[in-house]
Amino acid sequence: METSVIYLLFGVFFVLLVIGAPITVSLGVAALTTFLALGENPLSFVQIAFTSVGAFPLMALPAFILAGALMEAAGISKRLVDIAEAFAGPVTGGLAAATVFACMFFGAISGSGPATTAAVGMLMIPAMAKRGYDKGYGSAITASSGGLGVVIPPSIPMVIFGISGMGLQPPAEAIAAHGAFQTLSIPKLFIAGIVPGMVIATCLLVINYVISKRRGYKGLSDSWSTATIATSLKRGVWSMLAPLIILGGIYSGLFTPTESAIVAIAYTLFVGIFLHKELKWKPTLKTLETTTWITGRVLLILFTATVFGRLLVEQRVPAIIAENMLDMTDNLYLIWAMVIVFLLFVGMFMETLAAIMILTPVLLPIMYMLGMDPVHVGIVVVCALAIGFQTPPLGENLFVASGIGGSSIEEISVKALPFAAGSVFALFLIAYFPQISLWLPELMGY
């Protein structure tokens, strides 16, 4: 590894950020400068970037964003939010708590952090602003909760980890030391993500309660109302069925997680036109504009971030860091701590799908040698990289929430820090207590 190349890559990147260049420009110029310094053909820069946005799983991103926008126009998102608000009731900071619940519900449909942030944020950020919440705070908790979209199944990053990990057999030395390992499968990863998603959501709710108590953000009502809850559930029955249909189709093998995005659009159109009868022509056209804007913004970042990440791999930065961790200690808790810190750092600079494809072949054999269950490793990797959705400079959820709420990236980033800290605390719990991830799959016979 040429140290000067790494200095050049990160040096140009940070200098551009400091002078106020957009994240896409900072990543792209830093990568291109390094390419030229290495004597590489600039055409390869474009080829790598183009390939990154042409990956089949990424087709789900605009489809799920469109599904989220259509759900708002069709009244599905509003009914999901109504259900969340009914259950939040008199809780201090109830509207922000409802945002967390709504992201959990929508995460069971979207499989995407930015899509979840977009769908829920379009309703909740303006609603929180009207009820006296600071707009930056409303955007921050929405961006932070949007990460649940890739932890609660279905999850595109889990699919990518499953595909990457299933081709890696446990080393013979690991089998000799720890015995046979459990098989790795995408449905098992999906089931394993449910409880960790709830753990992260609980931490976000606790932090929201503490902050809301200090700022005086009141609950939505004086007490819980059984009638209100029952009414919201009755009105939202078709909205609640959406995740059951999508997940049921995936688990039964009727369609892939990527195809489920198209199913989500078709289901939304059917419910919006024939059942809710709220989907009109002009709002439908507006959803296409929204989808184009959000998708373009995210893909531009991905376009340059992939090349940036490729340079890191070519300079063997991830591999060298992983090797050094094992040389330092064999204590499992210390290794998990180092892995988590490393993943959090990577998540700040690299797109989640690219990071998983790059790091899985490096990390999984190491964790096999330590006797770790591959499903547990996958959940920790996805949860750690999901935090990257809410942390600068790459955090896609921050950009989505900023576009919806109008607050600056800097303001949202600062106000999202307590939620990022809560998510990191939850991540350590998930890593140190494997049964949080493995209990439900074992209960269901996996």
Side-chain angles (χ1 to χ4, degrees), residues 233-360:
L233 289 173
K234 183 179 179 180
R235 291 187 69 248
V237 62
W238 295 109
S239 302
M240 295 291 288
L241 278 176
L244 296 178
I245 293 172
I246 294 168
L247 291 176
I250 294 172
Y251 292 144
S252 65
L254 289 177
F255 41 77
T256 67
T258 300
E259 292 166 346
S260 71
I262 308 303
V263 174
I265 293 173
Y267 179 82
T268 301
L269 290 172
F270 176 79
V271 172
I273 295 172
F274 298 106
L275 300 177
H276 292 169
K277 299 180 180 179
E278 296 180 18
L279 194 58
K280 307 301 181 184
W281 181 246
K282 284 187 177 180
T284 302
L285 290 179
K286 184 69 175 177
T287 63
L288 297 176
E289 179 184 335
T290 301
T291 301
T292 303
W293 183 84
I294 296 176
T295 302
R297 193 169 184 177
V298 173
L299 290 184
L300 275 175
I301 297 172
L302 173 61
F303 193 86
T304 50
T306 301
V307 185
F308 193 93
R310 175 71 67 89
L311 284 168
L312 289 179
V313 175
E314 288 178 352
Q315 299 305 312
R316 297 193 68 248
V317 174
I320 290 172
I321 292 175
E323 291 167 4
N324 289 336
M325 286 193 300
L326 275 184
D327 291 339
M328 290 170 60
T329 180
D330 60 356
N331 182 287
L332 190 59
Y333 294 107
L334 286 178
I335 289 176
W336 264 130
M338 290 189 291
V339 167
I340 288 172
V341 170
F342 174 56
L343 289 171
L344 292 173
F345 174 77
V346 169
M348 292 172 64
F349 295 97
M350 291 179 62
E351 192 276 331
T352 302
L353 300 183
I356 290 174
M357 288 185 283
I358 290 166
L359 296 177
T360 299

Side-chain angles (χ1 to χ4, degrees), residues 1-11 34 37-38 311 315:
M1 178 181 66
E2 289 287 344
T3 306
S4 59
V5 172
I6 300 302
Y7 287 153
L8 177 63
L9 182 65
F10 281 98
T34 307
L38 291 170
L311 284 168
Q315 299 305 312

Side-chain angles (χ1 to χ4, degrees), residues 170-175 177-178 181 326 332 363-372:
E173 300 91 331
I175 295 175
H178 305 287
F181 288 84
L326 275 184
L332 190 59
L363 288 177
L364 195 54
I366 294 173
M367 303 315 287
Y368 272 134
M369 293 300 296
L370 296 170
M372 289 287 96

Side-chain angles (χ1 to χ4, degrees), residues 49-50 56 63 76 173 235 290 361 437:
F50 180 78
F56 176 72
I76 291 179
E173 300 91 331
R235 291 187 69 248
T290 301
S437 303

